[in-house]
């Protein structure tokens, strides 16, 4: 095979047309991996890179359901079973109107390396639908989830493929999906993670991605003698990851200045404290309202995205945690981040920075943690949920939090050790890609051409 990234990417693009986010994710990994290929001729002989970009299986299915007015609705469901070299497929389900095959392939591809970094035995997968839970009644969400699971149940299982939540799939959706799986299989098993602790879920799973992101940032900051305490933070999003990222920043003595949703962002210079955050959690998780309502209650400013504004232009902060969605930070926003004196960017979302944005951030010497390392705490705690389910046991909050914290430290040290080994100190993108890749690639080699 050619060792040139551009030649490799031409093949990937020709084989996977019209999937730009998948191309973007593959290119970023290929740029890290191909330079070390000369030291590993066994990978190129076994065509590991060509095999790793090819999903082991793609499931695509019709999801018909009936809305509250009696109308038949039709959505499309997907599950990408990307790689099972180191364990059963594991990765979330996303329900959002922007979902396409290409987006889920990008997320499944990222998941393979992320899961490898967690130190737990989990392969990579991702799934979801173009269904939009926003504005739907609970009954409609249940009808959709039941229809979705009435096909997906054939393909998943606690030792085969274990989905979890992602954008648009929280505790409510996991409950409806689990109920339908249990009915169809007549089996109570750990087939989904993110369950309620009342029926098999792990404590700390809701908090895990956000907490883990801040634990990773702490490790990164410590390499420069810094800490979270006393620092102002920009956080985007106000969903699961953003909420618990904010909670951990506050617990560690930092001040959260911004949070957002897809319509706009709030700026509270006094800081979003625990009481204000509890209100945001209720607004988003129970009332399913808009972040703009915050300023009516607590003051501060609201910026509307339709005016070309975003949270990334807000000054006076030194930490940035993008926790909303892919490609939410572009080059101009990255320039503002650098110019405003941010010292560390730690990604809670998957691929939230465009390639130009992260290149600008990295080349200006900021600490930069790619999501596949810094947001791996969620799937790691899903792995801990699987372990508890398999052993018919429950661990305390403290036990799970300690394990999560140790996993995040281990991911950080895998990144830094790998960077040192290959002379790329400080390049967490390289460290995460290469450390994640090596374990999967060696496992694929050991298992032969399958
Ligand atoms: P949620 O659905 O709980 O929250 C998503 C948040 O992002 C909401 O505030 C949403 O706003 C906002 N958002 C969605 N799309 C856009 C957009 N196009 N522009 C601006 N804001 C947007 O999802 P999660 O918190 O679970 O996921 C957030 C990110 O974290 C995703 O990238 C996900 O893949 C990643 N992730 C999640 C994990 C988890 O455990 N949940 C694990 C690892 C990564 P609105 O309310 O308007 O839709």
């Amino acid at each position: 095979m050619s060792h040139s990234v551009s030649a490799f990417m031409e093949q990937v693009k020709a084989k996977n047309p019209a999937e730009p986010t998948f191309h973007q994710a593959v290119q970023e990994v290929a740029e890290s991996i191909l330079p070390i290929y000369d030291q590993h001729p066994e990978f190129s002989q076994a065509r590991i890179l060509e095999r790793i970009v090819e999903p082991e299986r793609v499931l695509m299915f019709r999801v018909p359901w009936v809305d509250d007015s009696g109308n038949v609705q039709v959505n499309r469901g997907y599950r990408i079973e990307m790689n099972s070299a180191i364990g059963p497929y594991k990765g979330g389900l996303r329900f959002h109107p922007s979902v396409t095959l290409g987006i889920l392939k990008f997320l499944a591809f990222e998941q393979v390396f992320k899961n490898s970094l967690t130190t737990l035995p989990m392969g990579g997968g991702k799934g979801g639908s173009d269904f939009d839970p926003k504005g739907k009644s609970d009954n409609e969400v249940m009808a959709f989830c039941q229809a979705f699971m009435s096909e997906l149940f054939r393909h998943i299982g606690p030792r085969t493929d274990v989905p979890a939540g992602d954008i648009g799939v929280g505790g409510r959706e996991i409950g409806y999906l689990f109920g339908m799986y249990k009915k169809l299989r007549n089996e109570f098993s750990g087939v989904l993670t993110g369950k309620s602790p009342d029926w098999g879920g792990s404590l700390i799973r809701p908090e895990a991605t956000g907490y883990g992101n801040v634990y990773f940032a702490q490790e990164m900051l410590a390499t420069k003698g810094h800490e979270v305490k006393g620092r102002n933070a920009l956080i985007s999003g106000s969903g699961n990851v953003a909420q618990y990222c904010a909670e951990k920043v506050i617990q560690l003595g930092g001040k959260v200045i911004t949070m957002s949703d897809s319509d706009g962002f709030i700026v509270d210079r006094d800081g979003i404290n625990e009481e204000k955050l509890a209100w945001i959690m209720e607004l988003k998780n129970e009332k399913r309202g808009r972040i703009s309502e915050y300023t009516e209650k607590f003051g501060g400013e609201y910026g509307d995205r339709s005016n070309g504004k975003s949270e990334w232009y807000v000054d006076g902060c030194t930490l940035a945690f993008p926790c909303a969605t892919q490609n939410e930070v572009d080059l101009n926003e990255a320039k503002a981040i650098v110019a405003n004196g941010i010292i560390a960017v730690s990604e809670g979302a998957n691929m939230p920075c465009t390639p130009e944005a992260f290149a600008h951030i990295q080349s200006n010497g900021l600490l930069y943690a790619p999501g596949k390392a810094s947001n791996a705490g969620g799937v790691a705690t899903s792995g801990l949920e699987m372990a508890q389910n398999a052993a018919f046991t429950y661990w305390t909050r403290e036990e799970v939090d300690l394990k999560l914290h140790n996993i995040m430290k281990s991911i950080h040290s895998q990144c830094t050790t790998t960077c040192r080994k290959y002379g790329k100190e400080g390049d967490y993108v390289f460290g995460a890609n290469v450390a994640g890749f090596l374990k999967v690639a060696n496992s694929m080699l050991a298992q032969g051409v399958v």
Side-chain angles (χ1 to χ4, degrees):
M1 71 155 264
S2 162
H3 286 204
S4 121
V5 174
S6 55
F8 175 67
M9 285 313 301
E10 264 175 45
Q11 297 168 21
V12 170
K13 287 177 186 170
K15 224 172 169 186
N16 305 273
E19 295 178 357
T21 46
F22 179 59
H23 305 159
Q24 186 183 333
V26 171
Q27 171 136 3
E28 186 214 283
V29 170
E31 280 171 359
S32 297
I33 303 304
L34 283 173
I36 65 157
Y37 248 51
D38 290 342
Q39 296 165 50
H40 295 279
E42 69 278 17
F43 294 154
S44 107
Q45 239 161 34
R47 306 195 72 192
I48 294 292
L49 203 51
E50 288 88 338
R51 283 159 62 193
I52 220 166
V53 297
E54 201 62 44
E56 289 178 11
R57 193 174 298 107
V58 172
L59 307 160
M60 199 157 109
F61 48 95
R62 179 173 69 199
V63 189
W65 56 282
V66 180
D67 68 19
D68 287 348
S69 312
N71 298 317
V72 175
Q73 302 287 344
V74 187
N75 287 99
R76 185 174 285 175
Y78 306 85
R79 186 72 183 163
I80 317 296
E81 296 184 333
M82 197 76 196
N83 194 300
S84 61
I86 63 170
Y89 309 106
K90 182 85 198 87
L93 296 172
R94 177 176 290 192
F95 292 169
H96 194 272
S98 64
V99 162
T100 59
L101 179 62
I103 288 200
L104 294 177
K105 278 171 68 182
F106 123 61
L107 290 163
F109 183 72
E110 292 274 298
Q111 198 79 46
V112 173
F113 305 97
K114 180 189 310 195
N115 293 4
S116 164
L117 287 168
T118 64
T119 70
L120 301 174
M122 298 182 291
K126 200 85 189 186
S129 174
D130 57 358
F131 172 74
D132 187 0
K134 231 181 273 172
K136 304 287 191 304
S137 69
D138 285 350
N139 194 49
E140 289 176 323
V141 171
M142 181 173 75
F144 173 80
C145 287
Q146 292 181 339
F148 183 83
M149 188 52 88
S150 72
E151 175 58 36
L152 189 68
F153 86 102
R154 284 176 235 289
H155 311 286
I156 60 175
R159 295 195 174 269
T160 313
D161 184 352
V162 184
D166 190 75
I167 291 180
V169 179
R172 173 183 61 168
E173 290 75 16
I174 292 290
Y176 294 145
L177 291 163
F178 183 80
M180 195 63 181
Y181 180 88
K182 183 165 62 72
K183 182 180 169 74
L184 293 168
R185 280 262 188 243
N186 192 26
E187 168 187 296
F188 193 108
S189 69
V191 68
L192 293 165
T193 57
K195 303 184 290 295
S196 159
D198 291 339
W199 38 274
S202 176
L203 294 168
I204 299 289
R205 177 60 189 90
E207 294 89 339
T209 310
Y211 279 18
N213 187 21
V214 183
Y215 291 151
F216 194 93
Q218 269 187 304
E219 294 299 307
M220 239 182 9
L221 288 166
T223 65
K224 305 276 182 201
H226 299 309
E227 54 183 7
V228 172
K229 192 173 178 185
R231 295 193 170 277
N232 287 355
L234 298 177
I235 297 180
S236 65
S238 50
N240 172 265
V241 179
Q243 291 171 12
Y244 289 103
C245 180
E247 184 167 283
K248 187 51 75 179
V249 167
I250 298 166
Q251 283 172 7
L252 293 175
K255 200 192 252 190
V256 177
I257 304 298
T258 68
M259 290 184 76
S260 65
D261 61 20
S262 51
D263 294 330
F265 60 97
I266 49 151
V267 184
D268 185 341
R269 299 271 172 198
D270 296 331
I272 300 168
N273 60 18
E274 275 172 5
E275 180 210 336
K276 295 170 180 174
L277 182 61
W279 184 88
I280 291 177
M281 287 183 178
E282 198 192 342
L283 174 79
K284 284 293 173 182
N285 307 345
E286 313 295 333
K287 298 183 181 149
R288 302 185 188 273
R290 310 306 301 158
I291 199 76
S292 55
E293 296 167 43
Y294 179 96
T295 50
E296 292 155 28
K297 173 94 180 153
F298 298 111
E301 299 153 46
Y302 175 71
D304 198 309
R305 291 193 199 285
S306 63
N307 299 330
K309 295 181 185 168
S310 85
E311 53 275 54
W312 309 117
Y313 295 100
V314 173
D315 61 7
C317 295
T318 50
L319 304 177
F321 297 98
C323 296
T325 194
Q326 66 273 2
N327 292 330
E328 56 169 306
V329 182
D330 67 14
L331 179 58
N332 285 332
E333 292 167 318
K335 285 180 179 167
I337 283 173
V338 171
N340 286 336
I342 296 280
I343 63 164
V345 178
S346 196
E347 297 182 344
N350 285 309
M351 214 167 72
C353 297
T354 65
E356 300 77 23
F358 88 71
H360 184 76
I361 290 167
Q362 269 196 324
S363 65
N364 279 277
L366 278 67
L367 292 163
Y368 173 73
K372 62 169 78 70
S374 48
N375 73 29
V379 72
T381 307
S382 278
L384 301 177
E385 184 171 327
M386 288 164 73
Q388 291 169 82
N389 290 166
F392 282 95
T393 193
Y394 279 107
W395 296 330
T396 63
R397 279 184 76 82
E398 292 70 27
E399 281 173 299
V400 181
D401 196 24
L402 182 63
K403 286 180 201 292
L404 165 66
H405 203 150
N406 285 337
I407 288 171
M408 297 317 295
K409 284 183 182 173
S410 156
I411 295 173
H412 183 268
S413 90
Q414 288 175 66
C415 290
T416 51
T417 307
T418 307
C419 287
R420 253 195 313 279
K421 180 171 171 197
Y422 291 98
K424 300 274 251 179
E425 275 86 350
D427 185 346
Y428 285 90
V429 174
F430 176 88
N433 284 337
V434 172
F437 172 81
L438 287 175
K439 185 169 156 192
V440 178
N442 286 326
S443 307
M444 289 172 74
L445 277 180
Q447 291 168 23
V449 181
V450 289

